[in-house]
Amino acid sequence: MKTRKTPQTLRSHRWYGVNDLRSFGHRSRTAQMGYHRSDYAGKPVIAIINTWSDINPCHSHFRQRAEEVKRGIWQAGGFPVEMPAISLSEPFQKPTTMLYRNLLAMETEELLRSYPIDGCVLMGGCDKTTPALIMGALSMNLPTIFMPAGSMLRGDFKGNYLGSGSDTWKYWAELRAGNITEEEWQGVEEGIARSPGHCMTMGTASTMTSAAEAMGLTLPGAASIPAPDSRHAQMATLMGKRIVELVWEDLCIRDIVDARAIDNAVTTVLALGGSTNAIVHMIALARRAGVALDLARFDALARRTPVLANIRPSGKYLMEDFYYAGGLRGMLAQLTDLLDTSVPTVNGHTLGENIMGAAVYNDDVIRPRSNPLVASDGLAVLHGNLAPNGAVIKPAAMEAQFQKHAGRAVVFRDYNDMAARLDDANLDIDKDSVIVLQSAGPQGAPGMPEWGQLPLPKKLLAQGVRDMLRISDARMSGTSYGACVLHISPESHIGGPLAFVQDGDVIELDVPNRSLNLKISDAELGRRRAAWVPPKPHYTRGFGTLYLKHVTQADKGCDFDFLEDGASPEHATPDPEIH
Ligand code: FES
């Protein structure tokens, strides 16, 4: 049991409460902003790390939500400090937000370290923002609550619900196959994203915010509330109130996120039919918490966990439906035998107490254990001579015929090569071929973008083909569908075996046996490796060089090697140089 904090033992006391020249500066400059001593003296200073920006549509409600969090903090006797952090906007940032996930994690850690912060509310949701904020907070280890952005409303087109990403790919394929008009395509454009909030399919955003709740980092039920729902605003205020008490209790994020909480989050990801991206993020996040999560653990949990959430792209419904059907609490209540329900959470109750009695109101959206969407294997980890350190596939979101498949490789050396040649009428490819993309990994792309759902050639689309076996060292959007082998490690750019695949080689996938192999001899593989010339690095200056020098491979979470281990040693006191 921890000792309850007092005003004198708050971290911020070293900035505000002592009587020296430096603290005079802090108090006089706080007065400059219009605050009286009585506004903050002896109170927990709460950072609201806000990833709002004018170019992040998923967080466009965050200015308002920050005010609601502040209202709760004031009411509970805290002193709120809103701090903007880089806004990783999935639709806009190039080459990929993944290039910058670790930058936001570093920024979060350093904001919390360098200012007089006692506790924090992290505001995120759009894909990489959730893992980045939590990774940074784990390294700093203060009392922390994560405020999920909430999903946007269902998309609408001609009376049909549209799902983020999933229906973009679907209607794009129909447009390329000549089955819909340009005018109809524009109708999809106007209706697919019609409110604030993150993607409302089971993409990375819904997956990772739900994982955050399963880890105990949100108030119960928070991750499932749609962004525009007034209950989302209420939740924001309640989080503001709770974080103040969490500081007095001195319940820090690493008191909550341990191996048990990580396993609970992975089980949740799997039961949701969650994004493959969660594998990279959960491994990185776990390593920040000192937990040695690896691909083997993911696969072991996948073998025992049923997919219960009937949500696109694996299923039929959207996050708004999931909320009305009982939300994450309803789903977790079906899984108590697979979870450690004794773990603490930020509201001071155990996970088990938080989900006790949670009901399901639509058992087609949240399936019962007796009728899962898929019995197990929401995700699967592959090994073989093409992926010595592992690769990933999402069996729940692909045509079943590809579970065991062998075909001839059609190789593209990079994304531009694929874009230039894929639709060439003379390309030697058929529905059984295996499309291979090289140079799309953490270093190769760079940034490991979501290119892994490789497009199908136009001529095969016109023949009615809608899925093929595709392999790469890229990631794939959680909203995507298809037989796509992803995250091949080591990646081709650094000399992984994917670099040596040639047109016409036979590639064999066997999901039940978890294998992925290039059917050439070891001697031939050795000859190709010896002849391989390493490509030049993508960056020679700036953040990109730091990234290339330190990013780890996909099976290690793509964190920077120098950020992985240990809590920040500096968190107890301000930097002596601060003035
Ligand atoms: Fe932000 Fe999908 S674009 S969550």
Side-chain angles (χ1 to χ4, degrees):
M1 194 68 176
K2 283 193 165 179
T3 310
R4 197 172 165 82
K5 286 273 185 184
T6 67
Q8 289 72 35
T9 58
L10 289 174
R11 184 169 179 265
S12 60
H13 181 77
R14 302 292 303 272
W15 273 265
Y16 280 130
V18 291
N19 205 5
D20 60 14
L21 186 58
R22 289 194 306 176
S23 63
F24 167 85
H26 305 147
R27 288 191 297 269
S28 66
R29 291 302 182 151
T30 305
Q32 183 184 8
M33 294 185 283
Y35 296 109
H36 185 263
R37 258 197 199 206
S38 59
D39 286 324
Y40 61 84
K43 297 181 178 181
V45 179
I46 308 296
I48 303 168
I49 306 288
N50 191 348
T51 50
W52 172 90
S53 92
D54 255 338
I55 199 161
N56 193 334
C58 304
H59 298 179
S60 59
H61 54 315
F62 271 12
R63 278 177 154 176
Q64 179 62 31
R65 289 292 175 275
E67 293 306 315
E68 286 144 0
V69 174
K70 282 181 199 172
R71 187 169 78 210
I73 293 169
W74 282 121
Q75 286 176 6
F79 181 56
V81 181
E82 186 179 347
M83 307 179 101
I86 182 173
S87 189
L88 308 181
S89 177
E90 196 65 28
F92 290 99
Q93 200 163 23
K94 303 291 183 266
T96 163
T97 50
M98 189 62 187
L99 189 67
Y100 300 106
R101 183 199 66 181
N102 300 342
L103 183 63
L104 174 55
M106 288 174 78
E107 186 183 13
T108 303
E109 180 181 347
E110 299 307 324
L111 281 173
L112 297 176
R113 184 202 321 280
S114 56
Y115 286 102
I117 305 303
D118 297 303
C120 62
V121 176
L122 310 172
M123 296 178 63
C126 189
D127 286 17
K128 314 303 177 291
T129 58
T130 301
L133 289 163
I134 295 173
M135 286 162 67
L138 279 166
S139 292
M140 186 54 195
N141 198 24
L142 296 177
T144 301
I145 292 185
F146 177 74
M147 198 214 82
S151 61
M152 66 177 94
L153 298 177
R154 293 179 286 232
D156 173 66
F157 172 62
K158 290 188 169 178
N160 296 314
Y161 294 143
L162 293 179
S164 314
S166 306
D167 280 305
T168 306
W169 327 128
K170 177 180 149 191
Y171 283 98
W172 176 239
E174 297 305 330
L175 182 73
R176 294 176 74 225
N179 294 335
I180 64 167
T181 65
E182 282 289 347
E183 195 180 25
E184 287 174 311
W185 177 236
Q186 189 177 333
V188 173
E189 176 183 309
E190 289 162 1
I192 198 166
R194 61 191 181 92
S195 84
H198 62 66
C199 292
M200 73 326 231
T201 39
M202 190 46 69
T204 306
S206 305
T207 305
M208 287 307 301
T209 54
S210 299
E213 179 169 334
M215 271 185 283
L217 294 180
T218 75
L219 294 185
S224 307
I225 308 172
D229 195 302
S230 60
R231 286 166 285 191
H232 195 271
Q234 295 166 31
M235 176 269 295
T237 302
L238 290 173
M239 287 188 166
K241 289 184 182 177
R242 177 60 192 155
I243 186 63
V244 177
E245 183 56 24
L246 207 56
V247 170
W248 291 125
E249 292 171 5
D250 197 24
L251 192 60
C252 297
I253 186 169
R254 290 179 68 156
D255 298 325
I256 290 172
V257 179
D258 59 13
R260 300 169 302 161
I262 296 284
D263 268 5
N264 284 344
V266 172
T267 298
T268 300
V269 166
L270 293 162
L272 288 168
S275 165
T276 45
N277 288 326
I279 299 176
V280 177
H281 299 320
M282 286 303 305
I283 289 175
L285 191 155
R287 292 165 81 102
R288 293 289 188 109
V291 176
L293 180 66
D294 59 15
L295 289 174
R297 185 65 185 156
F298 249 98
D299 200 63
L301 293 174
R303 287 174 192 265
R304 72 171 202 192
T305 306
V307 179
L308 298 184
N310 187 5
I311 302 177
R312 300 182 208 179
S314 303
K316 176 175 166 191
Y317 297 98
L318 297 167
M319 285 303 286
E320 196 178 342
D321 305 301
F322 185 66
Y323 180 53
Y324 303 146
L328 189 66
R329 289 180 65 246
M331 190 190 81
L332 294 182
Q334 316 291 312
L335 292 165
T336 49
D337 57 315
L338 301 181
L339 300 168
D340 186 330
T341 54
S342 68
V343 293
T345 74
V346 290
N347 75 343
H349 297 286
T350 65
L351 180 68
E353 289 165 345
N354 287 342
I355 62 177
M356 193 181 299
V360 171
Y361 305 108
N362 182 333
D363 66 5
D364 192 36
V365 178
I366 301 173
R367 294 289 186 83
R369 291 288 286 277
S370 56
N371 181 31
L373 190 69
V374 183
S376 64
D377 295 346
L379 301 167
V381 175
L382 309 168
H383 284 89
N385 71 352
L386 251 184
N389 295 341
V392 167
I393 194 165
K394 190 173 183 181
M398 61 186 261
E399 289 186 10
Q401 58 177 306
F402 293 108
Q403 295 255 343
K404 277 176 177 265
H405 181 82
R408 285 182 309 119
V410 177
V411 181
F412 299 101
R413 65 180 179 277
D414 59 28
Y415 188 86
N416 290 338
D417 182 35
M418 182 178 69
R421 293 196 295 121
L422 186 73
D423 287 337
D424 185 336
N426 296 319
L427 184 68
D428 183 15
I429 191 166
D430 61 34
K431 65 179 178 40
D432 296 321
S433 300
V434 180
I435 306 179
V436 176
L437 177 66
Q438 299 167 330
S439 299
Q443 305 238 5
M448 204 185 176
E450 292 183 340
W451 295 340
Q453 188 202 26
L454 311 180
L456 305 185
K458 214 169 174 175
K459 65 181 180 186
L460 295 182
L461 285 171
Q463 291 168 19
V465 176
R466 290 294 181 272
D467 199 3
M468 290 175 68
L469 179 56
R470 292 159 267 181
I471 75 170
S472 74
D473 41 18
R475 295 175 302 114
M476 175 174 88
S477 166
T479 62
S480 298
Y481 180 94
C484 303
V485 175
L486 310 159
H487 306 190
I488 286 181
S489 177
E491 62 171 305
S492 55
H493 191 87
I494 63 167
L498 185 67
F500 314 133
V501 184
Q502 297 177 356
D503 282 335
D505 288 346
V506 173
I507 291 174
E508 189 177 72
L509 169 70
D510 185 339
V511 175
N513 286 312
R514 302 294 200 260
S515 68
L516 177 71
N517 284 297
L518 181 63
K519 305 301 280 183
I520 62 173
S521 67
D522 290 346
E524 174 60 16
L525 195 58
R527 268 193 293 280
R528 294 183 191 181
R529 179 175 280 119
W532 181 73
V533 179
K536 290 203 172 90
H538 285 281
Y539 299 108
T540 54
R541 68 163 300 281
F543 173 75
T545 55
L546 178 79
Y547 173 91
L548 292 179
K549 196 166 168 196
H550 293 288
V551 71
T552 61
Q553 289 289 289
D555 62 305
K556 300 285 190 297
C558 299
D559 201 356
F560 290 161
D561 50 12
F562 62 90
L563 292 174
E564 278 180 345
D565 296 316
S568 167
E570 304 291 339
H571 77 280
T573 55
D575 186 309
E577 295 305 314
I578 200 166
H579 59 80

